[in-house]
Amino acid sequence: DTGVSQDPRHKITKRGQNVTFRCDPISEHNRLYWYRQTLGQGPEFLTYFQNEAQLEKSRLLSDRFSAERPKGSFSTLEIQRTEQGDSAMYLCASSWRQGGDEKLFFGSGTQLSVL
Amino acid sequence: SQKIEQNSEALNIQEGKTATLTCNYTNYSPAYLQWYRQDPGRGPVFLLLIRENEKEKRKERLKVTFDTTLKQSLFHITASQPADSATYLCALSGSARQLTFGSGTQLTVLP
């Protein structure tokens, strides 16, 4: 399978715990995005990387959230001191930007439940 | 403020009919607009991209129109099948580099 891979698929944690998610993008893609999606809503942008550089972060991304993409390959998203409001599907997407167009390839997401 | 609105209600249609989904936006000047399909528990899957200077784009049973004056895109699925049942998301490129998604329309095709 050469698509975007996310791990784990599901995570249940208690409020106050730290969690980390991993995303492996399509290997030749230079851009990697993190989105968050709650039930009945579309994906909301969190942050994105071009190669290893984190170029943009949403206001949604509080200081409890941190993302890395060492060496421009896989990426991790960490949430510290989780809150119940963090419960959502966390989606990773990758792309190879050509000219002005860009289409995203999404993974299946990590479903986070904070109890 | 920028806003993307899709059909607020779920859409149920009979198999074989044409499904038409709408995407309206305000305070955007998108270079292009995209449509994605999302099945329960899965990530969105890219379907079609239409640029601001294009009026219509087709792919098999899918057709997208883009009216930058009305600030609206229509997404059509002809000869719909139960396997087309899913949530369909429109996404715009705005002043920010990332895509911004609408909340989606849930389509059910009844056999």
Side-chain angles (χ1 to χ4, degrees):
Chain A
D1 185 12
T2 57
V4 177
S5 176
Q6 291 190 246
D7 184 68
R9 288 295 311 277
H10 304 274
K11 179 70 177 179
I12 300 173
T13 192
K14 291 183 180 179
R15 189 176 52 188
Q17 298 294 304
N18 299 343
V19 294
T20 300
F21 311 139
R22 178 180 169 120
C23 171
D24 287 274
I26 293 171
S27 58
E28 61 267 29
H29 285 179
N30 60 347
R31 288 193 171 188
L32 187 149
Y33 293 79
W34 285 99
Y35 281 81
R36 181 173 70 186
Q37 187 175 27
T38 53
L39 200 62
Q41 300 299 313
E44 294 176 296
F45 170 77
L46 293 178
T47 188
Y48 94 95
F49 295 82
Q50 177 144 323
N51 301 312
E52 67 274 12
Q54 188 173 16
L55 295 186
E56 194 165 342
K57 292 194 287 188
S58 163
R59 287 191 300 273
L60 295 173
L61 211 67
S62 76
D63 56 6
R64 297 185 297 105
F65 289 69
S66 62
E68 294 182 343
R69 192 184 182 197
K71 302 179 183 177
S73 56
F74 70 93
S75 176
T76 58
L77 178 68
E78 181 183 17
I79 308 174
Q80 296 183 325
R81 306 180 303 281
T82 53
E83 301 172 357
Q84 287 184 325
D86 297 331
S87 295
M89 172 80 85
Y90 290 83
L91 292 163
C92 174
S94 69
S95 72
W96 176 261
R97 191 176 178 110
Q98 291 180 310
D101 295 348
E102 183 175 13
K103 62 182 182 183
L104 302 185
F105 293 80
F106 282 87
S108 292
T110 295
Q111 182 67 53
L112 173 65
S113 298
V114 181
L115 305 178
Chain B
S1 63
Q2 294 180 324
K3 190 182 283 189
I4 302 171
E5 291 184 337
Q6 298 190 238
N7 301 56
S8 57
E9 302 291 326
L11 185 62
N12 294 336
I13 63 164
Q14 210 64 40
E15 182 176 6
K17 300 294 187 184
T18 296
T20 299
L21 285 65
T22 62
C23 176
N24 296 296
Y25 60 91
T26 54
N27 295 321
Y28 275 97
S29 296
Y32 54 85
L33 184 149
Q34 301 183 20
W35 284 88
Y36 288 77
R37 169 186 172 138
Q38 187 172 27
D39 291 288
R42 311 291 294 183
V45 174
F46 171 81
L47 295 175
L48 280 167
L49 178 152
I50 186 165
R51 298 183 182 86
E52 60 179 338
N53 60 350
E54 297 176 318
K55 296 291 186 187
E56 182 178 300
K57 182 107 26 117
R58 293 175 185 259
K59 179 183 175 184
E60 298 172 353
R61 295 183 296 110
L62 308 180
K63 184 179 86 171
V64 173
T65 62
F66 193 11
D67 188 326
T68 54
T69 301
L70 291 178
K71 297 187 183 299
Q72 181 181 77
S73 174
L74 299 178
F75 177 79
H76 307 273
I77 306 175
T78 58
S80 59
Q81 304 166 0
D84 295 326
S85 299
T87 295
Y88 291 85
L89 300 158
C90 73
L92 277 71
S93 68
S95 54
R97 282 180 287 271
Q98 78 279 2
L99 282 179
T100 304
F101 286 82
S103 57
T105 298
Q106 187 175 334
L107 172 68
T108 301
V109 180
L110 303 168

